[in-house]
Amino acid sequence: MALYHLLILVYSTILLIPTDSHNITAILDGFPEYSVYNGYLSQTKVCDEINSHETVTCLVLSNSVMSSLVAKAKQSLPGIKNALRLLSLLDYFDPQKLHDLTRGTTLTTTLYQTTGNAPGNLGFVNITNLRGGRVGFASARPGSAFDATYTKSVKQIPYNLSVLEISAPITFSGLMDASSPSPSNLTALLEKAGCKIFSSLITSSGVLKMYQSAMDKGFTLFAPNDDAFKADGAPDLTTLSSADLVTVLQYHALPSYTPKASLKTARGPIATMASSSSAGKYDLSVISHGDDVSLDTGVDTSRVASTVLDDTPMCVLTVDSLLLPSELFGNASAPAAPGPVAVPGAPMLAPATAPGPVADTPAPSPHATKPRSKKAPTHSHSPPSPPESPEAAPSDAPAADEDATPDDVKGAAMRCVVCSPRLVLASICIVVFLL
């Protein structure tokens, strides 16, 4: 019991330890001079990637500088997203650290490097102390000019988040050449990702056209792989009516751009494309543990397995099982009856059964000889010796003795479990308390 209470104390203490978290868009809301930069953080969902990292430095751009970057990217959200990722350093830099760099220069990784799309080491940023106390930022590509310099400090949360203003964006040739994917390539992407059955279903049902019409505004697809359709217990979707099949396929898509990093921070139910017809229905819930993200339908959960495409405003993810809405599959199986509750330290009890018919007991004869009363012994209060075997145990539990030890009470409680199902709960409580 002492160990049990110690574990509870340690766990409670851990829960009370404050955890450092940050919300970059909420912080920048207090600085209108960065509203354009902040708006594109939200539109591209780079803000969720920033918030999911414990340590990060954001190099922000003023409204005029950010507007020039958007024009240079030709309004391409994927290109702007790449540029914002390169401005997000995965290390903590405040003004003092910038001016105290070891050997006056360093290479630091960025969010762009984590995407796997950065050629070579171009996902790194070169920070160097320049003449006159200036600090410059440039691409890691050899020979890149330090066009961007440190301007001022905006906000610090030591040692998790630092927001610094710089004078110009950090770019290199090809960084912002990314373009939005063509809707016509969706089926090819799905087939290449091992989702051929799902690709065939959305094409034959006409749902593909619904997906395509939503892609420009924001679209996220959860595509089950072929193994999900062959798993034990997976329903045959081809047996559904046309309307129900369309609903299930719409249930696998969101009418918004929600990459995996955004799913990690999701709170509450998420509306799907099937939710538009019935408010509050056909929603999904997200279960996040570290880097693992699962989707809860109310019937089952499905793990987000991989990212096929993540280009604003479209995202395609694979899931390892079908998403079955509870509105259509909630009654697929009746819940099992609850079994006996296991109590630590107590033996498992057989489930109670209905009592059998009681045999008629003949009434005592009026001529039966009454047993002679025996005088209670006065020389000892010791309890009777326990029987040598279970067969010799009396059928009735002995009366409680004032001098009984805890072991005696524990043994009596366990015998009562067999005697009367009504005493099961009370017996369990006594055993747990004594343990």
Side-chain angles (χ1 to χ4, degrees):
M1 294 295 291
L3 178 60
Y4 174 77
H5 286 104
L6 179 61
L7 291 174
I8 292 295
L9 178 62
V10 172
Y11 181 71
S12 301
T13 303
I14 292 174
L15 291 179
L16 292 175
I17 297 175
T19 56
D20 294 319
S21 61
H22 41 256
N23 186 328
I24 183 61
T25 54
I27 291 173
L28 292 179
D29 280 342
F31 300 90
E33 61 268 34
Y34 309 119
S35 59
V36 178
Y37 172 94
N38 199 22
Y40 278 102
L41 279 185
S42 298
Q43 194 171 351
T44 59
K45 301 296 183 181
V46 171
C47 57
D48 293 330
E49 298 180 28
I50 292 173
N51 294 337
S52 66
H53 282 77
E54 183 178 356
T55 304
V56 64
T57 297
C58 295
L59 305 178
V60 300
L61 305 174
S62 65
N63 288 340
S64 59
V65 176
M66 186 65 198
S67 297
S68 299
L69 175 66
V70 172
K72 186 176 180 180
K74 301 178 181 179
Q75 305 290 332
S76 167
L77 284 179
I80 296 170
K81 185 171 187 176
N82 285 344
L84 292 176
R85 283 169 166 168
L86 193 64
L87 292 173
S88 304
L89 315 180
L90 299 184
D91 197 354
Y92 180 82
F93 291 93
D94 56 18
Q96 181 177 353
K97 186 175 179 179
L98 286 179
H99 290 94
D100 295 338
L101 295 175
T102 303
R103 296 185 297 275
T105 185
T106 188
L107 281 179
T108 185
T109 188
T110 69
L111 282 178
Y112 183 57
Q113 182 69 25
T114 65
T115 64
N117 298 325
N121 65 343
L122 294 186
F124 288 79
V125 164
N126 184 349
I127 307 176
T128 299
N129 284 327
L130 306 175
R131 295 181 179 179
R134 296 184 306 132
V135 179
F137 300 82
S139 164
R141 175 172 289 173
S144 297
F146 290 96
D147 295 328
T149 56
Y150 166 70
T151 304
K152 65 179 180 179
S153 171
V154 179
K155 175 77 174 181
Q156 275 81 44
I157 304 177
Y159 290 89
N160 298 101
L161 176 69
S162 179
V163 183
L164 307 173
E165 181 186 296
I166 59 176
S167 61
I170 304 169
T171 61
F172 58 83
S173 177
L175 174 67
M176 294 178 291
D177 291 345
S179 58
S180 299
S182 171
S184 61
N185 293 333
L186 179 58
T187 54
L189 285 172
L190 292 175
E191 291 176 3
K192 186 177 180 180
C195 304
K196 294 182 179 179
I197 298 176
F198 185 74
S199 176
S200 176
L201 282 175
I202 63 174
T203 302
S204 61
S205 64
V207 175
L208 176 60
K209 294 182 179 179
M210 301 180 187
Y211 289 171
Q212 291 172 338
S213 63
M215 288 178 183
D216 292 337
K217 301 175 183 178
F219 176 75
T220 301
L221 181 63
F222 303 114
N225 54 39
D226 291 343
D227 289 339
F229 288 88
K230 304 171 185 177
D232 293 339
D236 184 1
L237 298 187
T238 60
T239 62
L240 298 176
S241 66
S242 297
D244 286 345
L245 177 60
V246 168
T247 298
V248 171
L249 296 177
Q250 287 180 318
Y251 189 66
H252 284 75
L254 308 181
S256 61
Y257 171 63
T258 313
K260 188 175 180 179
S262 300
L263 289 173
K264 291 180 183 179
T265 61
R267 298 290 182 270
I270 298 178
T272 66
M273 287 186 67
S275 302
S276 57
S277 57
S278 302
K281 293 185 177 181
Y282 297 102
D283 290 341
L284 286 170
S285 297
V286 179
I287 303 173
S288 180
H289 296 288
D291 288 334
D292 290 334
V293 176
S294 297
L295 305 174
D296 186 0
T297 68
V299 174
D300 204 350
T301 58
S302 181
R303 185 179 66 91
V304 176
S306 64
T307 299
V308 178
L309 181 70
D310 181 6
D311 279 317
T312 310
M314 175 179 171
C315 183
V316 178
L317 307 168
T318 63
V319 290
D320 57 11
S321 60
L322 299 178
L323 301 182
L324 305 177
S326 59
E327 289 81 0
L328 295 180
F329 298 91
N331 298 323
S333 59
V341 179
V343 179
M348 289 301 295
L349 305 177
T353 57
V358 180
D360 294 335
T361 304
S365 172
H367 301 291
T369 303
K370 296 182 179 180
R372 295 180 181 180
S373 60
K374 296 182 181 180
K375 187 177 181 180
T378 58
H379 60 277
S380 174
H381 292 283
S382 300
S385 301
E388 296 179 357
S389 64
E391 290 78 6
S395 58
D396 296 326
D401 190 284
E402 294 179 357
D403 297 333
T405 64
D407 289 338
D408 295 330
V409 177
K410 177 180 175 182
M414 295 309 301
R415 288 195 294 273
C416 289
V417 171
V418 181
C419 299
S420 173
R422 288 189 172 187
L423 297 178
V424 170
L425 181 59
S427 302
I428 292 176
C429 294
I430 292 174
V431 172
V432 173
F433 178 78
L434 291 175
L435 291 176

